[in-house]
Structure formats: structure tokens, C-alpha cells
Amino acid sequence: MLDRREGPAGGGSQETAHARVHAGLKEALMNGDFVPGQRLVVRQIAEQFRTSAMPVREAFRQLVSDEALFDHPNRGVIVPEATVARISELVRVRCSVEGTAAEWATSTISPEEIDELADINERLHRCVNGHALADYLTLNRRFHFMLYGAARSPMLQQIIEKLWLRAGPLLNIVRTDAAYVFGLIHHDEMIDGLRRGDSQAVRRALVADLSEAADIILRAAAAPVAPRPVSPRRRAPRGTGR
């Protein structure tokens, strides 16, 4: 039965609910709010987003089509497992695609955007120094997507977003201070390269960032990670898109 909060069946509010759930699940996946192998239950997600089951099922179908989720024959919809083959292939593709975006961004980014990247990175440093890592992955995603957005390529941005839907849950495996410090060193190198206009240096730093994170993920993939629910702050995401 359609939830009354969504309005009449067939109305535009049903489409709005689907867009809201889809956007919220995408954000949760990219921010590492789910872990590899975690089962997603329609009823629980519907309760978290205060909607009926239909928009959740539609969002699941779309994310399965994007290979961000997997429809397991026995377990239902799950976050794809972290396998060595999957992690290795994903990092190779990410280094190529995201490295290209970083390289392109070097010639098109504005001084104001570089300053904003530096500000985000400073906030990331404070997270690590204060051992307050809860918001690290969200800020890290904001840093990367601001850099990629500076490449001024909507097509490249869409490809990268789909890659991050698959990579976000893997990043959840690497919740250690040491792993984050290594990433920030490479962020500093990217910002320095951007200020100097050295596109190859920016690309090298980006690739090193992704590659080192992948190495840590590969070593930690065998260790069990307890599933975490979607954070309350993401139960009602702003807007209906990214």
C-alpha cells in the first residue's frame, strides 16, 4: 500500500520519493556508510527515508543496473563483496579516469577553487589530528569531486561518480589514522601541483593516493567489518539529485 506521505498513486510525489531515495543511497554508498557484503532491506531503508517500499525498490533496481549494488539470488540486494580481483580492477580504472580528470583540472581550475580545496584539506587534517574521523570520508569525497569538477567535463564527472558508487564501501575498510595521513600527504601534493600548474605532478599525486588506499584495502579486505546503518543526517538528503 502506498504511504500516505507520498500522495496519490501515480502522482509526481512518487517520482520525487524515488529520486530522494536514489540520491540518498548514492550519497551513502560514496561516503562509505555501507560496507562490502552488507544486505540492504527494503523495509528498513523505507523507514529511514520515511517512504513506502516502491521508491526503494526502484532505487535498488537502478543501483543494481549501475553495478553499485548486487541482487544476490539467496540474500537479496547487497553491497558487492570486496574481492581481490574487483578491488584491483577498480583501482586500475580509477587511476586512469580520475587521473585524467586531475590532469585536465590543472589547466582549468580557478585560484578560488584551489583555495577552497586547501580549506577542505585543512579540515581533513584537523579530523585526523583530533582523531575525529566520522566526517573524514564525506570531506574526502568533497575534495576529490571538487577537483574533478574543475576539469569542466560533465561526461567525465558522470563516469567518476559511477566508479565512486563502487569504491565508497571499500573505503569503509580503511578507517585508521595512518591510512588517512597518507592520503592527506598526497592531497597536499595535489594542491601544490595545482598552484604550480604542473598537471603531471597533480596526476601522480592523485594516482598515488588511490593506489596506496587500494593496497591498504587489499590487505584489510579479509578482516570482517560490522555493517553500519545510514547516518540520521542522510535519512532526508537535500534535494533530489547530486
Side-chain angles (χ1 to χ4, degrees):
M1 181 180 295
L2 186 66
D3 191 306
R4 291 180 181 178
R5 287 169 295 212
E6 295 171 4
S13 58
Q14 182 74 13
E15 295 179 3
T16 300
H18 161 251
R20 180 167 57 86
V21 174
H22 182 245
L25 288 175
K26 283 172 60 179
E27 183 176 358
L29 284 163
M30 287 192 284
N31 284 345
D33 287 339
F34 299 122
V35 297
Q38 181 174 346
R39 179 172 177 253
L40 303 188
V41 180
V42 171
R43 176 180 52 79
Q44 294 175 352
I45 299 297
E47 288 175 356
Q48 290 168 354
F49 284 93
R50 298 178 60 83
T51 187
S52 66
M54 187 180 296
V56 177
R57 291 194 180 98
E58 288 296 326
F60 279 2
R61 275 194 284 270
Q62 194 167 348
L63 290 166
V64 167
S65 176
D66 287 336
E67 298 185 22
L69 297 177
F70 175 64
D71 194 357
H72 194 283
N74 299 319
R75 297 175 58 196
V77 174
I78 66 170
V79 179
E81 300 281 358
T83 65
V84 171
R86 184 168 181 272
I87 295 167
S88 299
E89 181 181 17
L90 183 58
V91 73
R92 287 180 63 191
V93 175
R94 289 186 65 200
C95 285
S96 178
V97 175
E98 296 176 41
T100 296
E103 185 177 344
W104 289 3
T106 308
S107 61
T108 52
I109 195 168
S110 69
E112 292 77 17
E113 287 172 317
I114 297 175
D115 289 341
E116 189 167 348
L117 280 173
D119 179 68
I120 295 171
N121 204 45
E122 178 58 34
R123 292 169 64 186
L124 284 164
H125 276 284
R126 289 199 296 269
C127 284
V128 173
N129 293 336
H131 305 285
L133 304 179
D135 293 328
Y136 183 97
L137 290 179
T138 302
L139 287 168
N140 180 65
R141 179 170 66 89
R142 189 179 303 171
F143 177 93
H144 280 266
F145 273 84
M146 184 169 185
L147 173 63
Y148 304 148
R152 315 290 190 243
S153 173
M155 185 180 298
L156 201 55
Q157 187 89 351
Q158 290 173 3
I159 295 170
I160 292 172
E161 183 175 286
K162 288 189 176 183
L163 291 172
W164 272 66
L165 287 174
R166 305 179 195 187
L170 298 173
L171 295 175
N172 209 339
I173 298 174
V174 200
R175 290 181 177 270
T176 66
D177 290 28
Y180 291 160
V181 167
F182 284 124
L184 292 180
I185 292 172
H186 297 309
H187 285 190
D188 292 336
E189 293 169 347
M190 286 180 234
I191 292 169
D192 179 64
L194 289 168
R195 294 199 189 281
R196 293 186 289 106
D198 188 340
S199 62
Q200 291 306 306
V202 176
R203 182 175 192 133
R204 283 195 301 271
L206 185 281
V207 169
D209 183 17
L210 300 184
S211 299
E212 288 186 7
D215 287 343
I216 296 170
I217 291 169
L218 284 166
R219 291 196 297 269
V225 183
R228 299 187 301 119
V230 179
S231 168
R233 65 181 176 183
R234 295 188 183 97
R235 291 179 183 176
R238 298 178 182 176
T240 59
R242 298 212 57 79

